[in-house]
Each structure stands twice: as structure tokens, then as C-alpha cells.
Amino acid sequence: MNPWLTVVGIGDDGLAGLNASTQALIATAELLVGGDRHQAMVPTTAAERLTWTGGVHRAAETIAAWRGRRVVVLATGDPMWFGGGANLARIFAADEMTVIPQPGAYSLAAARMLWPLADCVCATVHGRPIASLNLLLQPGTRLLALSRDGETPALVADLLTRRGFGPSVVTVLEHLGGACERRFEGIAETWAHPRAADLNTLAIECRTGPRPLILPSVPGLPDNYFENDGQLTKREVRAASIAALAPLPGQTLWDVGAGCGSIAIEWLRAVPSYRVAEGNAARAIAIERDAARCAIIARNAASLGVPHLEIIHGEAPGVLSNAPPPDAIFLGGGTTGAGLLDRCWDVLAPGGRLVANVVTVDALAVLITFHARHGGDLTRLSIARAEPVGRLTAMRALMEVTQYQGTKPL
């Protein structure tokens, strides 16, 4: 099939920034797709116009009805960087589409800042929670972020300050590549600039204050990083559990009896979405019967950089039929519940991993029986921490945990 769908990256300089052949494609299109800002850059032609009102998938249905005719989609800059091209490439085949990129916001911002683009972390809060930046803040990181609107710089400065990154330098780059291009900068903790232009990109040089909240990139965050009511898988056991669950891109975890959500949160942090192909990020479902704990899970997910964690309020196994099929399941409590282990094993994808932690002898008996039927590994985890005993220090043991790890046969 000859490509009939052309996605054109267009900069803030509009049609003037495109070569003659690309301008001809736009001028002769039968259907012209794009947001209001891009549509306004194109003078009246014979083309029918379509905006993104109703979302990408609804627009894609209309585009598909024009298959074989001349369709041009206008996107910002490089359409394959969080743009229309990336979305449409998941719907239409490669032999149907042609993508013509322009320098995108990341390339232009890196050029203005003289930052090697390969050394930058590129993210977006356009259509995503600003709390997702919590995953990316590390001392010395150079972060380029697409803004949602003109309020974004002030909101990001506030987030940086609350995380202990108040000395960070924030540069706002407005209308990159256009006649109205402008930049200004400031320190996050003393940010006093008025609202920026809605079309802006942020360049953030992360610097720490005296008490920053540093989130390591490996599993096993300190226990005090999680708000909890006592239902928390302890740091050392949590690190071992995440290793056994083996997070992979594109896979889904069920955290059954999630408590404060620590396992689901660490699973998502182990395969951050900005490091994998868009649409192939890991997914986690926290299942918790206590409504107050569901609220705790949501707050923890936001503060630790994974606000996209999905939360189901309800009791297993009853609510499990509403959850997406899992590639990995973690059971941190309630393993003795009637048929819960068997139900989880039945719905687990072939090759999927099931990990269950227990502390009581009753639950251990259930695990031993389950292990005898399905195989796998049983491991005893014993942790002791140094604590004061009067004026001295002694090792105080935590409750021993028995961990079951099983992989469902292919």
C-alpha cells in the first residue's frame, strides 16, 4: 500500500519553516487534521478539516474512513516525541504512514541551553500529572519538560521546593523557533515570575537544598518514605519481593491486599515509562479493601513519582474479575483466604510470577500445600536491625517472613 497518511511536524514559525514539497502536501490534502493552533497556520484550501476534539482514538476512526485518500496530520515539532505521530503509529501500519519531522521542543531547548541532548532526561507534563516529575528528580539531572500551560513553571517550582530541590535553576523557553521566542529563568524556591505563555518548555538543572528527598532508582526505598498505618512491607523484604516479581516493560502487576501500595509503587518505579517505548510501560493495579488505605496509596503514588498507579477498592477474590489480566501477582496478606492463591494462579498469564509473603503458621501451612501442588521456591527471610537497648545497641529481629515464588508453566 502506498502511504496515504502523512504526519507533518510544524514549528512555531508555521508554514514558513517547511520546505516546498511539504507545503505542497498540505495544500493538496483532502483531509487536514490538527489542533486549532495548527489549523490557523494553514490558509483556506479545499481540504475538509478535522480537529482532535473527542480525543485521538475518535479522530483516528474518522481518519481510517479516509484510507487511501490524501490525509495530512499537523503535529508539533517532532511528531514521534509525545506527539500525534506516536499515537497514530500505534493505530495505523508503517506502510500507510509517512512522518516528516521538524526540530522538536527538546532539540530546540537543548540547543538554546547548550546541553547535550543525550545527557538530558526528556519528560512531559502536558496531559500528565506534574507529580510524575517526582520520579525524575536527582542531583545534577538536566531535565527538559513539555509544559501543560502557562501555570506549569510555577507549579514545577513549588514541587521542586517541596522535594528539597529548591536551589534548582528553572528556565522557561516560550514559543521556541518562532517570532515570539522568549526565555527567562529563576530559582525554584524564590520563583516570582508571572504566568508564562501557554506554549513553553522547561529546562531544569536539578540542585539540592540541605534536606532533599532523594529517591534511589533501585527497589527498597526507606520505610519512612511511605505514609502507612502499619500495613507496610518492610524495606529489605520489599526489595527481595520486587526482585522475585521481576518487573518488565509492558507487563501488569496485581498487588493484592496492597496496604500502603509499596510493592505496586516500587514495581512501577523499576520500569519507569520514560525509559521504554511509549505504550510499553509497566502497569500496576493496587487492590485494597480499606478505603482509607486506598487514599494513602494514592498519596504515596503521587509523592513517589508514579501517579498513574491504578487503585481498585474492594476485596479479593471478588473484585479480581474487573482487573486487567496479570503477568505478576503479589500477595502480602490474606493468603489464607478461601481459594485466593488458587484463583490468582488460575488467572496468571503463562510464564507469569506469583509471589506471596506470610508471617503466621496458618498462612505458612497454606503456602506449603500450594507449593506441593505447583512447585516453586520457599524462602525464609530473617531481618534484624540495630536498636538502642538502654545506653547500648543490640540487634532486634523483625518478624520472620516466608516467601513463596512460583512461575506458571508456559
Side-chain angles (χ1 to χ4, degrees):
M1 176 181 292
N2 292 324
W4 55 272
L5 174 59
T6 303
V7 183
V8 175
I10 188 167
D12 202 59
D13 53 356
L15 296 184
L18 305 178
N19 60 37
S21 61
T22 302
Q23 292 188 36
L25 285 171
I26 296 172
T28 58
E30 296 176 272
L31 176 66
L32 190 63
V33 185
D36 292 335
R37 185 173 68 88
H38 290 135
Q39 296 273 15
M41 296 177 177
V42 181
T44 301
T45 67
E48 187 170 325
R49 305 275 180 133
L50 173 68
T51 68
W52 298 112
T53 303
V56 172
H57 288 283
R58 180 169 295 179
E61 292 175 0
T62 303
I63 292 170
W66 288 69
R67 182 174 266 107
R69 300 175 69 180
R70 297 188 303 277
V71 179
V72 172
V73 176
L74 302 178
T76 300
D78 186 344
M80 304 308 289
W81 266 109
F82 298 115
N87 291 323
L88 294 174
R90 289 193 286 271
I91 301 171
F92 297 100
D95 61 354
E96 296 183 276
M97 282 180 60
T98 299
V99 177
I100 303 174
Q102 294 293 312
Y106 298 126
S107 296
L108 292 170
R112 301 298 187 268
M113 299 299 296
L114 296 183
W115 290 356
L117 187 53
D119 296 339
C120 297
V121 175
C122 298
T124 181
V125 293
H126 184 77
R128 302 186 183 192
I130 289 178
S132 61
L133 295 181
N134 279 317
L135 183 64
L136 311 178
L137 302 181
Q138 298 290 354
T141 292
R142 287 177 167 177
L143 175 62
L144 300 177
L146 307 181
S147 285
R148 181 175 59 212
D149 56 28
E151 296 291 342
T152 301
L155 295 174
V156 169
D158 178 66
L159 180 146
L160 288 164
T161 302
R162 288 185 285 108
R163 273 286 305 275
F165 284 76
S168 298
V169 180
V170 179
T171 302
V172 181
L173 301 157
E174 299 177 339
H175 291 284
L176 282 165
C180 298
E181 181 172 329
R182 184 174 78 107
R183 67 181 284 171
F184 57 90
E185 67 179 39
I187 303 301
E189 60 194 1
T190 57
W191 192 262
H193 291 286
R195 180 187 173 100
D198 283 338
L199 186 61
N200 74 83
T201 301
L202 300 181
I204 305 166
E205 189 163 6
C206 296
R207 299 177 182 174
T208 57
R211 290 185 297 276
L213 179 63
I214 305 295
L215 302 178
S217 57
V218 296
L221 293 175
D223 292 344
N224 63 359
Y225 283 19
F226 294 92
E227 178 188 347
N228 68 88
D229 62 357
Q231 293 298 310
L232 168 69
T233 301
K234 296 300 188 290
R235 180 181 193 174
E236 299 85 354
V237 176
R238 189 178 345 114
S241 300
I242 293 296
L245 289 165
L248 293 171
Q251 294 202 339
T252 297
L253 168 76
W254 285 3
D255 183 359
V256 182
C260 70
S262 62
I263 292 293
I265 288 168
E266 295 255 33
W267 164 278
L268 290 175
R269 288 179 53 82
V271 190
S273 58
Y274 74 95
R275 289 182 180 166
V276 299
E278 192 172 356
N280 198 35
R283 186 179 185 184
I285 317 293
I287 300 160
E288 174 53 54
R289 64 184 178 182
D290 186 278
R293 288 179 185 158
C294 287
I296 290 174
I297 293 170
R299 291 194 292 271
N300 282 333
S303 66
L304 297 173
V306 288
H308 54 292
L309 169 63
E310 300 167 59
I311 303 169
I312 294 179
H313 176 217
E315 189 163 3
V319 298
L320 298 183
S321 58
N322 299 323
D327 303 285
I329 299 176
F330 176 76
L331 290 143
T335 306
T336 55
L340 181 56
L341 268 172
D342 291 326
R343 167 68 174 145
C344 288
W345 188 259
D346 288 343
V347 299
L348 189 63
R353 289 83 64 202
L354 189 149
V355 175
N357 292 347
V358 302
V359 295
T360 67
V361 293
D362 310 85
L364 177 58
V366 174
L367 275 191
I368 291 173
T369 301
F370 185 84
H371 174 261
R373 292 203 312 270
H374 298 287
D377 296 312
L378 285 173
T379 305
R380 179 67 54 83
L381 304 173
S382 301
I383 309 296
R385 295 176 177 173
E387 294 185 4
V389 178
R391 292 180 299 170
L392 303 176
T393 302
M395 301 302 293
R396 189 180 300 277
L398 304 179
M399 293 185 69
E400 289 189 333
V401 175
T402 301
Q403 181 177 94
Y404 169 80
Q405 175 187 357
T407 300
K408 190 170 182 178
L410 293 170

